[in-house]
Amino acid sequence: MKTKKIIIALTISLLANFSIAQVGVGTTTPAGALDITSTNDGLLIPRIALSATNVATVITPTTSELVYNTFTSAVGANQVTPGFYYWNGTLWVRMTTGTNNDWTLTGNAGTAPATNFLGTTDAQPLVIRTNNTEKIRIKSNGKVGIGEPNPTDATLEVKGNTIIGNTFTGGNSVAQPGGLTVEGRTIIGEDAFYYGIDKVVVYGNTTWIPTAVTNGDNGNGLTYAINGYTSDGVGLYAEDNDGGRGVEANVFGTATNRATGVSGFDTSGRGYGVVGISENSSVTNGYRGVYGVESTLTGYALYATGRTYSTGAYFQPSDKQLKKNIKPLKNALEIIEKLSPKTYDFRWDEDKFKKAGLERGTQMGFIAQDLEETLPNIVNQTELSLDFPTYTKKQIEENPSLKNEQEKTMQIKAVNYDQLIPLLTQAIKEQQEIIKSLEARIEKLEKK
């Protein structure tokens, strides 16, 4: 058999030297330039151990030169594995043989997700490039980076601004780099929570009660549907231009959970915790800058530590339609005589009360415990915040122990000073009747 192969090779060489147009091996009627015919043997291509697709290995390879690679090189862009390769003038290109296990440019059919996939079988990341520049990376731990080659902080990290939704048309409203523009109805936190008219719904289900109320960040304490934080700007800005509400917050919770509708902080002392603006010169009534509702009357629609200031008048509901059991106020002078006004200073400079917002300087008023003996209906038991949470997320990150500090409060008595106005008014009227009576008596005595 070996002698036979040598004779065949010599025959091919001789035929080539005679410049015969067609060569036949095993046939006298070749169908092409070279026609090898056999029913029990095959053609052996040179078997060579290539080191990489970009290394020639073969001495001066010629374009279209064919070899069978027997070597598996290291993993990488130029890896080679056993199989047929041809030289394209620059690289060795593997020829597909047998069943096609590659993903084709025109798509694949008959795939099974359990066995057919796009990705890696080792701990290496999957990288997607365009213009030979990395655009998307999926790490072996499942974290995905778009424009971010090393996503570490979240399951998905996007570098640059992001637009979600297909109705955005561009313009000045597009988010800046690192921001997010969302078009269409957006629900965050609960995919089954349906609102038919809302643009953005943030649903934070916080039915659990924390073991301790913490300061600043949610940590092991308060939880937030929306947490707006800024070191030098606006934490949360909401605007309505058509008779609705800029911000509306409804809270259902327990006292131990310290449920809060809107909480605003300004730790610098130079800004505002919460700003509410209702601005329309053509409307004469019915709009509100800040609207707070506390229907149980066990808490406060608005709670402020420190001074409050208003450029407008202060009103309370007093319509007859809202009232029943209307009776004249009597014996006001008698009640007034039992009251004992005082001057005093708040203990604002003591460590315990430094963050309570107590007024400074000499004050005039009443001692609630004394007033309660005569007018218990205008004295209320309440809670004073001595150390309202003012820690920022950054402060807690730098000093984690702050998360364990609870809000400090104390039970106190508060006075509704507005209720004294009608009492004093009636006392003046009663006093005026006494004065008139005395004037009449003096006039009679003078006529005698």
Side-chain angles (χ1 to χ4, degrees):
M1 180 62 70
K2 184 175 181 181
T3 303
K4 178 181 177 182
K5 290 183 178 180
I6 293 174
I7 294 173
I8 292 174
L10 291 172
T11 303
I12 293 173
S13 176
L14 290 171
L15 290 174
N17 288 332
F18 284 106
S19 300
I20 298 175
Q22 293 176 309
V23 176
V25 179
T27 178
T28 59
T29 57
L34 175 62
D35 186 350
I36 301 175
T37 302
S38 176
T39 59
N40 57 8
D41 212 346
L43 176 67
L44 292 178
I45 300 298
R47 288 145 289 177
I48 298 176
L50 301 176
S51 58
T53 59
N54 61 343
V55 179
T57 305
V58 176
I59 300 175
T60 316
T62 303
T63 300
S64 82
E65 188 166 342
L66 179 67
V67 300
Y68 181 86
N69 173 49
T70 61
F71 181 66
T72 299
S73 66
V75 175
N78 299 306
Q79 183 189 29
V80 293
T81 56
F84 287 101
Y85 284 78
Y86 70 90
W87 183 256
N88 70 356
T90 305
L91 298 171
W92 290 107
V93 180
R94 182 184 173 91
M95 298 176 61
T96 302
T97 58
T99 303
N100 183 8
N101 292 323
D102 300 327
W103 291 93
T104 68
L105 295 177
T106 55
N108 294 69
T111 60
T115 56
N116 305 121
F117 59 88
L118 181 66
T120 62
T121 57
D122 53 18
Q124 297 299 315
L126 174 65
V127 175
I128 299 176
R129 296 185 179 189
T130 60
N131 196 25
N132 202 30
T133 301
E134 180 177 326
K135 303 300 182 182
I136 300 175
R137 176 178 293 246
I138 304 175
K139 298 179 67 175
S140 59
N141 59 9
K143 295 186 184 297
V144 180
I146 300 178
E148 171 53 59
N150 186 29
T152 56
D153 298 325
T155 302
L156 174 64
E157 295 184 30
V158 180
K159 183 178 181 180
N161 62 330
T162 304
I163 298 176
I164 300 175
N166 59 3
T167 61
F168 181 73
T169 58
N172 296 329
S173 60
V174 63
Q176 297 300 311
L180 173 67
T181 299
V182 179
E183 286 294 315
R185 292 189 61 251
T186 304
I187 298 177
I188 301 173
E190 177 61 63
D191 57 4
F193 208 66
Y194 179 75
Y195 284 85
I197 60 175
D198 297 316
K199 182 73 171 178
V200 178
V201 177
V202 180
Y203 182 65
N205 189 356
T206 59
T207 56
W208 62 281
I209 298 176
T211 56
V213 180
T214 60
N215 292 316
D217 200 11
N218 47 9
N220 189 36
L222 300 179
T223 52
Y224 304 100
I226 298 177
N227 187 346
Y229 171 78
T230 176
S231 61
D232 188 21
V234 179
L236 175 64
Y237 176 78
E239 179 178 330
D240 173 75
N241 292 318
D242 193 23
R245 298 177 175 90
V247 174
E248 179 176 350
N250 295 321
V251 174
F252 301 90
T254 64
T256 55
N257 200 24
R258 298 218 174 277
T260 305
V262 176
S263 179
F265 296 101
D266 169 58
T267 58
S268 70
R270 298 184 299 274
Y272 305 91
V274 175
V275 175
I277 300 174
S278 178
E279 190 175 64
N280 191 331
S281 59
S282 64
V283 179
T284 58
N285 56 33
Y287 55 92
R288 302 168 175 89
V290 176
Y291 182 53
V293 177
E294 205 295 301
S295 59
T296 67
L297 298 184
T298 58
Y300 301 94
L302 176 64
Y303 184 99
T305 60
R307 296 181 177 183
T308 58
Y309 173 79
S310 173
T311 59
Y314 171 72
F315 290 89
Q316 284 186 325
S318 189
D319 194 290
K320 185 177 181 180
Q321 301 174 83
L322 306 176
K323 302 176 181 181
K324 63 180 181 179
N325 300 326
I326 301 174
K327 300 176 183 179
L329 179 59
K330 298 180 179 180
N331 304 320
L333 271 176
E334 181 180 339
I335 297 174
I336 292 295
E337 288 178 354
K338 296 179 182 180
L339 303 184
S340 179
K342 299 287 194 298
T343 63
Y344 52 86
D345 292 309
F346 279 116
R347 296 161 61 183
W348 60 268
D349 55 344
E350 298 180 16
D351 289 341
K352 181 178 181 180
F353 300 104
K354 280 186 176 180
K355 295 184 179 180
L358 299 176
E359 187 60 77
R360 303 183 183 188
T362 301
Q363 309 295 309
M364 293 183 294
F366 297 94
I367 305 302
Q369 286 81 353
D370 297 340
L371 194 62
E372 190 175 23
E373 296 179 2
T374 305
L375 296 170
N377 59 306
I378 69 172
V379 178
N380 183 49
Q381 185 75 24
T382 188
E383 189 176 76
L384 176 66
S385 295
L386 300 177
D387 188 13
F388 202 79
T390 56
Y391 299 115
T392 65
K393 184 177 181 179
K394 182 178 180 181
Q395 288 174 317
I396 293 177
E397 289 176 349
E398 294 174 350
N399 185 6
S401 64
L402 293 178
K403 293 197 328 184
N404 300 322
E405 293 187 14
Q406 297 187 26
E407 177 185 350
K408 300 173 184 177
T409 61
M410 67 179 295
Q411 294 297 313
I412 65 166
K413 295 182 182 293
V415 175
N416 184 350
Y417 278 91
D418 289 342
Q419 290 289 299
L420 291 173
I421 296 175
L423 180 65
L424 294 173
T425 302
Q426 179 60 25
I428 292 173
K429 291 179 64 177
E430 292 178 2
Q431 191 176 58
Q432 192 62 30
E433 290 297 324
I434 295 174
I435 292 173
K436 287 181 180 179
S437 175
L438 291 175
E439 287 178 342
R441 291 178 61 183
I442 292 171
E443 185 179 353
K444 287 181 180 181
L445 291 174
E446 289 178 344
K447 288 181 180 180
K448 291 183 179 180

